Amino acid sequence: MSAATSATADPSSTDAATSAETALTDVVPAPVEVFPDAEAEYRLTPWTLIRTEPHSAGAHKVGLLLAESLRPATGYPLPVVPARSHKASGISLLLDDVEDTLGREGYRLEATDDGVTIRATTAAGLFAGTQTLRQLLPPDIEANARRTTAWTVPGGTIVDQPRFAYRGAMLDIARHFHTPDEIKSYIDELARFKINHLHLHLTDDQGWRIEIESWPRLTTVGGGPGTGVDGVGGGFLTKEQYSDIVAYAADRYITVVPEIDMPGHTNSALSTYAELNCDGIAPPPRTDMAVGYSSLCIGKEITYEFVEDVIREVSELTPGPYLHIGGDEAHVTPPEDYRLFMRRVLPIVEKYGKRPFGWNEIVRAEPATATVAQYWGTSTDNAELADAVARGHQVIMSPANKTYLDMKYNADTPLGLSWAGYIEVRDSYEWDPGDHVTGVGEDAVFGVEAPLWSETLRSSDHIEYMAFPRLAAVAELAWSPQEARDWTAFRERLGKQAPRWEERGIDFYRSPEVPWQD
Ligand code: TNX
């Protein structure tokens, strides 16, 4: 039985919204297959062990994170010990080649009266399985103090694996700086929905947010006090803080994708270093929300020394395979210059061992096909993107009118912008990334990403309000097979996230489209 069939079986059952019972089908993103067993149920006890695959540091670490997440509410010790046998009892996290049909991130979760066993080929798959397990426990599990709840897991089996290998969220820390702690709490929320890439938009006209030792004033001046939209978003990540975020994300199976936006969106660099300008004169810093007015100087050698220094330092700090070089809205860079610039810069990215990402305009430079184009348009037709796909490019789908988390929900939303339209939860859910843009089929889709631009955002509350619940919708598009997706079933499952978000203090938008559970 697929999640879609089981969850839609009784459309009149909106009273599910008032029941605290968690069913095996209540998971977001919807798993590939769910086989509930109404006879079985596992109940955690004070003696429950978390048993992990012996000799696997990865499995052990996943076990430790799971224990850490279950201890506060249960008050149980939940020791993490090596699994001496593959017999089900307690919570077992096992690596098992038998499951190699499930791919790198797939898993199989089986809940019986004796225990919950998660099997996967890699620790990444085990981690995904543990995120499912957390959602199968009662919402109280999110409490950060002890509760006297019956800690039951519904019986049955879930067999699951992702549709797309790349499932991303982007956070803009340039328009307004967000602190390492704010970024980490966003990472915590992303991991729950099996998002596995965090794209950090590190530089823009209003601020430079990553330390570059060879150009130190980028951060002290370009990222200093008074930078950011309205001059209230100053701050930057030191190399150490950036590396710490990368490691924190990696523990949660999230790869950081750094973006240095160029040749446009560079006023913070241009206003800091006069020599980067064609006329040698630094423009004033900017804190307004305009776009498309800045450009690196394409004809000057120092531009490429600067770009190489930045790419080298950021690449050295980034263990992940990708580096995003922006390329969007370069309205004051003449097309031929744009092409020259990209054709010179893209090989630098590859020289430092990274696969380049760029916003979809990058295909105008006809780069090597390894360059991944991130589509942010609002149209379902884009001839230059379709041509690029025909040449062999892959695409990350981030259509602005579907996935832009900074778009308002409706005219009354206090935060956000509206240039791509209002985006209600259903709008963000009801589209198919593998069949959205003419000429960009499933095979050309590298993944799906939800960007969050921060012109109007100041705090974690603001991030949460714009991201949730829409990020959960986009996560399901990126993970779940198209056949398992259905709005009617999704809104029910989504409604059950409410008490979990409430427990964690997540300031989500209570869309009238969703039957929120108390
Ligand atoms: C367009 S999307 C931009 C950003 C803005 C965003 C606001 C893209 C590649 N460029 O510079 O922040 O709109 O929604």
Side-chain angles (χ1 to χ4, degrees):
M1 175 177 31
S2 80
T5 23
S6 55
T8 45
D10 179 10
S12 68
S13 72
T14 17
D15 58 1
T18 54
S19 153
E21 280 288 298
T22 301
L24 203 67
T25 45
D26 284 346
V27 179
V28 177
V32 175
E33 290 183 298
V34 182
F35 307 96
D37 175 358
E39 306 298 302
E41 171 179 277
Y42 175 63
R43 184 163 175 173
L44 266 69
T45 73
W47 303 278
T48 296
L49 302 178
I50 296 182
R51 304 157 68 252
T52 65
E53 181 70 30
H55 316 300
S56 164
H60 181 71
K61 230 168 153 177
V62 173
L64 292 177
L65 276 178
L66 177 65
E68 214 176 274
S69 70
L70 305 182
R71 279 175 192 143
T74 60
Y76 301 161
L78 301 170
V80 181
V81 301
R84 273 188 221 91
S85 75
H86 274 201
K87 180 170 104 349
S89 84
I91 297 173
S92 307
L93 308 179
L94 306 176
L95 294 174
D96 196 334
D97 288 340
V98 172
E99 301 300 340
D100 64 4
T101 50
L102 294 176
R104 215 186 66 77
E105 294 177 287
Y107 66 92
R108 182 186 173 94
L109 181 152
E110 223 173 319
T112 68
D113 292 338
D114 297 327
V116 176
T117 304
I118 301 173
R119 293 171 195 274
T121 17
T122 69
L126 292 179
F127 182 77
T130 60
Q131 299 314 307
T132 296
L133 174 57
R134 293 170 76 183
Q135 288 190 35
L136 294 174
L137 283 155
D140 277 9
I141 198 67
E142 304 298 345
N144 55 19
R146 195 164 169 216
R147 294 276 170 87
T148 52
T149 306
W151 302 111
T152 54
V153 178
T157 302
I158 290 178
V159 185
D160 203 9
Q161 69 183 111
R163 176 178 178 186
F164 297 109
Y166 184 101
R167 305 175 301 281
M170 187 209 84
L171 186 62
D172 171 7
I173 64 167
R175 269 53 175 275
H176 190 276
F177 180 63
H178 301 285
T179 65
D181 281 348
E182 289 171 336
I183 298 169
K184 285 180 182 174
S185 41
Y186 200 45
I187 288 172
D188 289 342
E189 298 310 315
L190 301 179
R192 291 170 183 275
F193 295 109
K194 305 186 174 83
I195 300 268
N196 64 352
H197 289 82
L198 173 65
H199 166 184
L200 286 177
H201 184 75
L202 293 166
T203 66
D204 214 302
D205 290 317
Q206 303 90 338
W208 188 284
R209 312 298 178 196
I210 179 74
E211 179 186 3
I212 303 292
E213 279 167 61
S214 49
W215 298 76
R217 296 205 312 276
L218 285 172
T219 43
T220 53
V221 178
T227 62
V229 169
D230 295 340
V232 295
F236 63 90
L237 298 175
T238 64
K239 288 193 158 183
E240 207 181 340
Q241 287 171 324
Y242 176 83
S243 295
D244 178 54
I245 289 167
V246 166
Y248 186 86
D251 282 347
R252 287 147 187 83
Y253 292 88
I254 291 178
T255 301
V256 169
V257 181
E259 179 187 352
I260 307 295
D261 203 348
M262 57 181 107
H265 290 277
T266 44
N267 195 66
S268 61
L270 296 167
S271 64
T272 303
Y273 286 101
E275 59 268 43
L276 291 176
N277 296 272
C278 287
D279 59 6
I281 300 170
R286 296 267 300 247
T287 58
D288 59 282
M289 300 206 298
V291 292
Y293 58 82
S294 58
S295 179
L296 291 173
C297 184
I298 309 305
K300 255 182 156 176
E301 259 332 279
I302 193 171
T303 296
Y304 302 94
E305 289 161 25
F306 168 76
V307 167
E308 179 150 1
D309 285 341
V310 170
I311 290 176
R312 186 187 62 251
E313 291 197 33
V314 173
S315 296
E316 281 168 2
L317 281 182
T318 304
Y322 313 121
L323 193 139
H324 201 307
I325 57 163
D328 58 314
E329 298 174 318
H331 301 325
V332 295
T333 318
E336 195 42 38
D337 279 2
Y338 181 86
R339 199 182 150 84
L340 280 172
F341 176 83
M342 285 302 175
R343 292 177 83 96
R344 193 152 166 198
V345 165
L346 285 163
I348 302 176
V349 177
E350 291 183 318
K351 173 176 167 190
Y352 291 102
K354 301 300 174 194
R355 182 168 181 184
F357 282 13
W359 297 105
N360 56 264
E361 290 97 314
I362 205 159
V363 302
R364 294 178 191 161
E366 298 190 315
T369 53
T371 303
V372 178
Q374 182 167 11
Y375 183 62
W376 63 281
T378 54
S379 168
T380 54
D381 286 294
N382 184 302
E384 66 187 22
L385 187 67
D387 287 350
V389 164
R391 292 197 299 274
H393 284 276
Q394 290 209 293
V395 178
I396 292 174
M397 293 302 295
S398 300
N401 55 338
K402 302 285 179 191
T403 65
Y404 267 34
L405 301 174
D406 64 314
M407 290 301 120
K408 291 176 182 288
Y409 295 96
N410 56 52
D412 297 329
T413 312
L415 303 166
L417 306 175
S418 58
W419 67 264
Y422 300 129
I423 307 180
E424 251 296 351
V425 185
R426 187 171 185 167
D427 303 317
S428 64
Y429 186 76
E430 285 196 312
W431 62 286
D432 178 356
D435 186 26
H436 184 67
V437 176
T438 311
V440 184
E442 179 93 11
D443 290 348
V445 176
F446 192 68
V448 184
E449 182 176 295
L452 181 48
W453 301 96
S454 66
E455 284 94 332
T456 64
L457 313 182
R458 300 287 176 264
S459 62
S460 266
D461 280 354
H462 291 175
I463 292 173
E464 290 161 8
Y465 187 77
M466 299 310 280
F468 299 106
R470 290 179 295 195
L471 187 79
V474 179
E476 180 151 313
L477 262 89
W479 177 280
S480 310
Q482 187 65 16
E483 316 80 73
R485 297 213 298 113
D486 168 81
W487 165 251
T488 316
F490 177 68
R491 62 195 279 276
E492 300 288 334
R493 284 182 287 114
L494 189 60
K496 295 179 183 177
Q497 296 294 319
R500 296 171 191 271
W501 281 324
E502 289 279 347
E503 282 292 356
R504 296 204 295 284
I506 299 295
D507 190 17
F508 67 101
Y509 162 65
R510 286 186 171 263
S511 165
E513 297 181 340
V514 178
W516 298 110
Q517 187 177 301
D518 294 334

